[in-house]
């Protein structure tokens, strides 16, 4: 194996104070062996990248680094210059386990492995560990509503680009939770906003402003949105305009005026996510797609209403100038492509019920029935299958059923969601309503002819409000 860092100590009884700068020690060792020479350290950390002297870890990530020793080196121990990093040396397996903290910091940590030989001489190897921020385009945040009647509050799951899941990082970092019935999430710049509805049927709720890079809580808004009745969804258009869907329709918290302003003619807004496409804000009602053209005098008005001949079940972004709208009519499901500049329906595809159309009639989830990445749409068939629809060709294919993995699970929760960056599809099921703590998140590659289960996350969900990809471009 290739040494990540060959820094076997050359003197006995080395202490932490003896090695204050790891890079200086590497340079000293190089001078001692000479140019073109070689050295066999008594302890070395090995890995896949030649000459690597640093590791970068995502928050909460655990990485196993191979430790090799020569015969006679015993009593291996791990240490670190930052006690928030967890390190453990497994002598039997020959591994050093390094776990990054959840709180992001700029200062790197130095991690060491030490051991002694039969003569009592101590040897040590080390590596520099740096933290990445939460803000990676391939990362995923899962928002848990919590079980209100069971005393569980809103929380968050962080899934790093490697697929590792970390439960409740927001709680651990901020020593608080995401309120009663967390519902939706939206990013604007370096801020993530989360809305929690509060007690059902009453005014209020909580709006959390969170640093997108560190997940530190910046501010909580309560009195500012006290006029919102059971808020369920939001869209942070910019720092001044945060749109919120509630039982009355759509409202806008104007941070510049510090006012919560109702949007005229928005009554009946579906309990579905809002979208920002082409510089406009879109929401849906039972039979229409509605647009708000945000401006100084137009931010609180519906500029355009496009009606459909059936019940709307969802919408998804197609590109910067188009979005898809799904709706159901008798005996069929329909996907329409809408131009967000002209407000024209450019094209529609009709699907028979048996070919996935029945899924387009489902609108009971608080997430959109359809999800899309460019030309490819995905949607769920009730509590079972996921369909893929290629809009350019009109081809629809049943791709996957969770019953092939968890036949004892009885219900899905929310609808599929495709990652805008990776194209992977995320889906969730519960064993049953009474056994909701037994649950699975499936990460699926549905791009090819056959479905591939890339990974799964078990038993971290607490009634998921949805899957969010806040670090990709809106």
């Amino acid at each position: 194996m290739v040494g990540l860092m060959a820094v076997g100590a050359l003197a006995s009884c080395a202490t932490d104070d003896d090695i204050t700068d790891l890079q200086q020690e590497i340079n000293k060792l190089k001078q001692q062996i000479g140019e073109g020479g070689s050295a066999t350290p008594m302890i070395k950390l090995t890995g896949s990248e030649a000459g690597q002297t640093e590791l970068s870890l995502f928050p909460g990530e655990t990485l196993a680094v191979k430790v090799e020793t020569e015969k006679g080196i015993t009593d291996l121990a791990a240490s670190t210059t930052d006690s928030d990093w967890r390190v453990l040396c497994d002598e039997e397996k020959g591994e050093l386990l390094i776990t990054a903290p959840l709180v992001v910091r700029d200062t790197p940590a130095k991690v060491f492995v030490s051991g002694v030989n039969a003569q009592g001489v101590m040897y040590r190897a080390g590596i520099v560990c740096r933290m990445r921020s939460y803000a990676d385009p391939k990362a995923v945040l899962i928002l848990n509503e919590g079980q209100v009647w069971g005393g569980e509050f809103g929380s968050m799951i962080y899934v790093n680009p490697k697929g590792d899941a970390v439960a409740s990082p927001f709680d651990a970092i901020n020593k608080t939770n995401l309120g009663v019935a967390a519902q939706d999430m939206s990013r604007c710049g370096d801020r993530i906003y989360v809305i929690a509805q509060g007690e059902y049927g009453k005014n209020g709720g909580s709006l959390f402003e969170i640093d997108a890079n560190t997940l530190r809580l910046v501010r909580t808004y309560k009195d500012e949105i006290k006029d919102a009745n059971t808020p369920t969804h939001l869209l942070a258009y910019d720092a001044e305009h945060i749109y919120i869907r509630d039982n009355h329709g759509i409202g806008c918290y104007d941070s510049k005026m510090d006012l919560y302003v109702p949007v005229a003619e928005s009554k009946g807004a579906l309990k579905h996510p809002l979208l920002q496409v082409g510089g406009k804000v879109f929401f849906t009602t039972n039979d229409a797609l509605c647009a708000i053209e945000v401006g100084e005098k137009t931010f609180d008005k519906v500029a355009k209403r496009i009606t459909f001949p059936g019940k709307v079940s969802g919408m998804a972004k197609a590109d910067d100038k188009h979005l898809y709208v799904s709706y159901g009519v008798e005996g069929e499901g329909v996907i329409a492509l809408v131009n967000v500049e002209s407000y024209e329906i450019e094209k529609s595809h009709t699907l028979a019920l048996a070919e996935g159309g029945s899924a387009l009639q489902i609108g009971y989830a608080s997430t959109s029935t359809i999800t899309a990445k460019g030309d490819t749409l995905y949607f769920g068939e009730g509590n079972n299958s996921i369909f893929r629809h290629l809009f350019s060709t009109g081809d629809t294919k049943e791709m996957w059923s969770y019953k092939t993995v968890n036949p004892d699970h009885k219900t899905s929760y929310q609808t599929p969601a495709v990652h805008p960056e990776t194209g992977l599809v995320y889906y969730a099921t519960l064993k049953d309503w009474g056994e909701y703590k037994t649950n699975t998140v499936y990460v699926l590659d549905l791009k090819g002819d056959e479905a591939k289960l890339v990974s799964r996350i078990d038993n971290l969900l607490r009634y998921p409000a949805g899957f969010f990809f806040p670090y990709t471009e809106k």
Side-chain angles (χ1 to χ4, degrees), residues 270 272 311-315 326-329 332-334 353 356-370 379-385 387 412 414-416 427:
L270 288 179
H272 277 178
K311 181 175 172 53
V312 174
S313 59
M315 62 175 172
S326 61
Y327 61 95
V329 295
E332 295 175 326
V334 183
L353 297 184
S358 59
L360 301 177
Q361 296 187 331
I362 297 170
Y364 53 77
S366 60
T367 52
S368 172
T369 293
I370 56 173
F379 42 93
E381 172 65 16
N383 287 329
N384 200 339
S385 298
F387 285 79
S412 60
Q414 305 298 8
T415 53
Y427 196 44

Side-chain angles (χ1 to χ4, degrees), residues 178-451:
L178 286 169
V180 177
Q183 295 289 295
D184 198 12
M185 179 186 301
S186 179
R187 181 182 69 86
C188 178
D190 62 355
R191 293 290 188 262
I192 290 175
Y193 296 86
V194 172
I195 193 75
Q197 69 178 23
E199 191 173 348
Y200 183 79
K202 294 187 177 181
N203 282 6
S206 300
L207 175 64
F208 300 90
E209 181 182 345
I210 301 166
D211 186 298
N213 297 295
T214 66
L215 297 189
R216 285 192 178 277
L217 179 64
V218 177
R219 181 180 174 184
T220 301
Y221 303 82
K222 290 183 71 70
D223 289 343
E224 294 86 349
I225 62 166
K226 65 180 183 299
D227 292 333
N229 185 282
T230 317
T232 64
H233 293 83
L234 84 163
L235 187 146
Y237 179 85
D238 56 27
E240 292 183 12
H241 301 92
I242 300 173
Y243 287 89
I244 298 173
R245 183 265 168 204
D246 69 358
N247 283 348
H248 299 310
I250 305 295
C252 180
Y253 173 62
D254 187 320
S255 62
K256 187 176 182 180
M257 296 191 297
D258 195 25
L259 289 175
Y260 185 74
V261 182
V263 173
E265 300 181 356
S266 66
K267 185 177 180 180
L270 288 179
K271 192 178 179 181
H272 277 178
L274 292 77
L275 282 181
Q276 181 176 337
V277 184
K280 302 171 184 179
V281 175
F282 291 89
F283 66 93
T284 53
T285 64
N286 274 332
D287 65 350
L289 172 69
C290 303
I292 302 170
E293 298 178 352
V294 183
E296 184 177 352
K297 297 182 179 180
T298 60
F299 75 95
D300 59 349
K301 299 176 178 63
V302 172
K304 185 68 176 181
R305 185 182 302 267
I306 306 166
T307 59
F308 298 90
K311 181 175 172 53
V312 174
S313 59
M315 62 175 172
K317 180 179 178 179
D319 55 42
D320 291 339
K321 295 183 179 180
H322 299 86
L323 54 77
Y324 301 110
V325 177
S326 61
Y327 61 95
V329 295
E330 186 175 353
E332 295 175 326
V334 183
I335 302 173
L337 181 67
V338 179
N339 187 309
V340 300
E341 295 180 349
S342 66
Y343 298 118
E344 294 179 351
I345 300 174
E346 294 186 350
K347 193 175 184 180
S348 294
H349 289 175
T350 301
L351 282 68
L353 297 184
E355 297 174 354
S358 59
L360 301 177
Q361 296 187 331
I362 297 170
Y364 53 77
S366 60
T367 52
S368 172
T369 293
I370 56 173
T371 182
K373 176 176 168 55
D375 178 61
T376 307
L377 296 94
Y378 301 96
F379 42 93
E381 172 65 16
N383 287 329
N384 200 339
S385 298
I386 296 177
F387 285 79
R388 182 187 68 194
H389 181 79
L390 303 180
F391 202 80
S392 58
T393 64
D395 293 336
T396 303
K397 182 178 180 179
E398 184 176 358
M399 294 299 300
W400 184 83
S401 168
Y402 72 80
K403 292 292 186 180
T404 61
V405 179
N406 279 331
D408 60 333
H409 281 210
K410 295 182 178 179
T411 183
S412 60
Y413 201 87
Q414 305 298 8
T415 53
V418 63
H419 197 301
E421 183 81 12
T422 67
L424 297 176
V425 176
Y426 292 74
Y427 196 44
T429 62
L430 315 179
K431 186 174 182 180
D432 206 348
W433 296 107
E435 298 179 86
Y436 70 95
K437 291 185 180 180
T438 301
N439 53 69
T440 300
V441 174
Y442 313 90
V443 184
L444 302 160
D445 185 343
L446 304 179
K447 298 186 287 292
D449 292 335
E450 301 296 330

Side-chain angles (χ1 to χ4, degrees), residues 23 40 44 53 58 132 140 153 392 407 411 425 427:
Q23 192 60 51
T40 304
K44 63 179 179 179
T53 60
F58 291 101
R132 303 185 184 189
V140 181
F153 293 95
S392 58
T411 183
V425 176
Y427 196 44

